[in-house]
Structures are given as structure tokens and as C-alpha cells.
Amino acid sequence: MFGIESLSGNAQAAAIVAAVIGEALVLNLVYTALERVAGPALTEAVTGS
Amino acid sequence: MDPTVITIFIGFGLLIGILFGFFGMGGSFLVTPALLVMGYGSQTAVGTGLAFVFGTSFIAALKHRDHGQVDYKLGGIMILGMTAGIEVGKTFVDALSELGFADTVVSIAYVLMLGAVGIFVLRDARSEDTDELHPVARMIQDFDVPPHISLTGGGEVSLWLTMAIALFVGVLSGFLGVGGGFLLMPAMMYGLGVPAAVAVGTDVFQITISGGFGAFRYAQAGNVALPVVASLLAGSTLGARVGSAATNIVDEGDIKGYFAAMLIGGSVAVAAKEIGTTYGIEVLSTVSIVLIFGSALLVAGAVIYTTISELRHEKAVAAAGD
């Protein structure tokens, strides 16, 4: 995935750990934005109006 | 990967993320057996599980930090003490392996440990007087040898006691071959008197560090399936947000009750699997898997249900006050 397999040993391990952190951070940003946009409406929907 | 498999992994990640964000545990405990069932090799299953736990706990730790629920000093001492303890625990297992009965002893210890901690936490959660400490917990907390360290959320505790508990949890963790999250959280709550939310936050911080190190070690040998980690993370990062936010809404006593239910479910599941393997009863292995995933699904559902109920209650109280 993304050429990580072509690396070897420590470089591959570091790239994988970095990829996991990168994906987690990007997802966190996306979900934070989503929470701001849709959060109040969703809370209102589940708690009843 | 097939789109259906990706969807399953995302949904599974969401479920695990809720449990992880709420309890600070339940990652590799659920992912590794699931990957084994799906046909991945044991090294890849463990490595992928660790990489996934690392990614999930990384974000969960950031969320707990935002809520002021991470005690870094306590977490650092726990990491040091546990690292030393894990080596001691592994030495026990190696000695048992040479004698030829490590698997059986570890499985029995796992069942007893999960069951005992589960029953202890359940009794505590059902206690009418929530301020009353268990005599064992009180005895441990009364150990007062200086120097002391201050705790996030108030109070201080003996440094020696903290290191002794970290070492003890590390020995058990190394002996059982698990991350130690399910042991560390109650050890901090009952042994050190750390508030539940801070215990979860500090536990998640410890898991992030140890998970990252473990993922790196397995990745060195190419034993991390990155597409699986990516799919699981897509669900779990969302679930972990929900779970950690729920710790601020749901009552502390309810948290303990759910935690106990998960542990007891896990204990019965491991016992069923061990009996099934020993006596060749295949149906018990299926029962074990159903128990692990069923209890996880039920507990995650209970967390969501209780959170929504609490939000509705708060809203009704606010409306009545207007």
C-alpha cells in the first residue's frame, strides 16, 4: 500500500507507524468537522425535540 | 480488499472504538481473535491488532487529554513499572513452556483473572454506598510511604505503591500475554484511588505508547496488514469519539457495571474455548466467539443507550427548570 512494501526492516516499520498516525489524524480532523456540522442536529434527533 | 469486507471492518472498528473510548480497553482483545477467525496468521493477527490499537488509542488519548483525563506522570511510571514486570511475567511463561503446560496454566489464569476482576468490579458497581471502598482497596490505599506524587483530579499517592502496582500489573500482563488495559484501569481505580475518568484516560495513554512500540516491532517483520488497519481505523476513530465523550455523560457506577459485564463475558468465553480445545468440542469454540462478540456488541449498545437516556434526562431537567 502506497509503496510501503518496497521498503524494508526499520524503514517499513517506521512508514507503517507513520501511516497509521497520519490516517488517524486525518480521520480525526474529518470527524471533528463532521461533528461541528452535524453534531447539534444529531443530538437533537436522538434526544427528541 | 472486497468492499463487503471493508464495510464489515469499518463496522467492527466502530464497535471496538466505542468500547475503547469508553473503557480504555477492548482493542486487541477483540481484533486479534476476529482476524484469526478470518484466516490471518497469528503473527499478522497480533501485529495488525497492535497497529490498530495504536491508531485508535492515539486519537482516544488526544480526546482524553482535551478533557483533562490523562495523568502523564502516573502514566509514565506505569509504563516503566509495567515494562519491567512484563519481562518477569514472560520469564514465568518461558519456564512453564519448558515444562510443557504453559497454554493450560495461562488459560486458567486468564479465566480466573478476568472472572475475579469482573466480579469485584460488579460488586462495587452494585454497592448501594458508592463512597464505601472495598476493604482490600482501602488497605492498599492506606499504604503511605513517601515520597508522594500528586494525581490529576486531586489527591496524592505513594510513589512506591504506584511502582509496586505497575510492576504487579506488568507481571500479570507478561504472564497472560495481553496489553494490560483491562488490568491497569481497575488497578488505578481501586489500588490508587484514581477517579474512573482519569484512570481510563491514563490507561489509554499507556496503551498508545506500548501499542506503538508493539506495532513497530511486528511491522519490522512485515506482520501488519495495513489495508485491514486502515478500514478498522475508519470506524474506530469515530467510535472512540463517541465512547470517550460518553464517559463525561454516563454515571461512574454505570461505567463499572459495563466494564464488569465485558470482563465476565470474556472470562466465560476463554473458559469455553479452552474446554472446547482440550476435549475437542468444536461447538464450544463457536460459543466462545459468539460470547466475545456478543458481549462486546451488547455492552457497546448499552453505552450508547445509557448516554442517549442521560442526555434526554438532562434535557428534560433543563426544560423543567425554565
Side-chain angles (χ1 to χ4, degrees):
Chain A
M1 197 182 215
F2 308 117
I4 288 176
E5 294 86 346
S6 62
L7 301 170
S8 61
N10 290 341
Q12 187 187 50
I16 285 175
V17 170
V20 171
I21 291 176
E23 189 198 349
L25 286 173
V26 169
L27 285 169
N28 191 46
L29 282 174
V30 170
Y31 289 139
T32 300
L34 204 63
E35 191 179 306
R36 283 189 188 147
V37 173
L42 186 66
T43 306
E44 191 66 26
V46 295
T47 55
S49 48
Chain B
M1 248 185 344
D2 187 83
T4 312
V5 177
I6 293 174
T7 309
I8 290 170
F9 276 134
I10 292 173
F12 190 48
L14 182 72
L15 170 72
I16 296 170
I18 292 170
L19 297 173
F20 199 95
F22 196 75
F23 297 117
M25 61 151 276
S28 53
F29 173 61
L30 293 164
V31 172
T32 306
L35 293 178
L36 287 170
V37 168
M38 293 180 84
Y40 288 88
S42 59
Q43 294 279 330
T44 306
V46 174
T48 304
L50 280 169
F52 160 71
V53 166
F54 168 62
T56 307
S57 60
F58 185 82
I59 296 302
L62 292 179
K63 290 295 289 180
H64 282 290
R65 184 199 62 174
D66 291 347
H67 293 139
Q69 295 169 341
V70 179
D71 190 321
Y72 293 101
K73 192 166 40 182
L74 182 62
I77 294 167
M78 287 294 174
I79 289 165
L80 286 176
M82 281 185 68
T83 306
I86 284 168
E87 287 302 318
V88 178
K90 276 177 70 181
T91 308
F92 281 139
V93 175
D94 291 344
L96 285 171
S97 289
E98 284 182 17
L99 295 171
F101 45 77
D103 285 352
T104 306
V105 173
V106 168
S107 291
I108 291 169
Y110 211 137
V111 171
L112 293 176
M113 183 58 58
L114 281 170
V117 177
I119 290 167
F120 183 84
V121 177
L122 186 65
R123 278 185 61 180
D124 186 57
R126 291 170 69 94
S127 169
E128 284 182 20
D129 184 357
T130 52
D131 292 331
E132 188 61 36
L133 274 175
H134 189 278
V136 176
R138 182 167 294 283
M139 196 178 72
I140 295 170
Q141 287 185 28
D142 283 347
F143 182 86
D144 192 30
V145 177
H148 295 94
I149 56 166
S150 54
L151 296 171
T152 300
E156 53 179 33
V157 68
S158 165
L159 175 66
W160 296 112
L161 175 65
T162 309
M163 290 188 75
I165 286 178
L167 193 70
F168 177 69
V169 172
V171 171
L172 287 175
S173 181
F175 185 74
L176 298 173
V178 293
F182 78 92
L183 295 167
L184 193 60
M185 207 266 265
M188 282 192 283
M189 275 171 60
Y190 299 108
L192 299 176
V194 178
V198 177
V200 172
T202 307
D203 187 24
V204 167
F205 169 69
Q206 178 270 330
I207 292 167
T208 305
I209 304 296
S210 55
F213 179 71
F216 183 83
R217 295 283 292 165
Y218 275 86
Q220 281 177 315
N223 286 320
V224 173
L226 202 52
V228 176
V229 178
S231 308
L232 286 167
L233 269 182
S236 70
T237 42
L238 178 62
R241 296 177 75 86
V242 176
S244 63
T247 58
N248 280 341
I249 298 166
V250 178
D251 182 67
E252 190 175 304
D254 292 335
I255 294 179
K256 290 177 187 170
Y258 295 146
F259 187 67
M262 280 268 305
L263 294 176
I264 293 168
S267 172
V268 176
V270 176
K273 190 177 181 187
E274 183 62 19
I275 294 167
T277 306
T278 305
Y279 296 102
I281 309 169
E282 215 164 279
V283 71
L284 284 181
S285 293
T286 311
V287 167
S288 165
I289 292 163
V290 169
L291 264 174
I292 287 176
F293 294 107
S295 64
L297 188 64
L298 276 174
V299 174
V303 168
I304 297 298
Y305 177 79
T306 311
T307 303
I308 292 172
S309 299
E310 189 59 35
L311 283 171
R312 284 182 174 170
H313 176 69
E314 284 175 8
K315 193 176 178 182
V317 169
D322 287 341

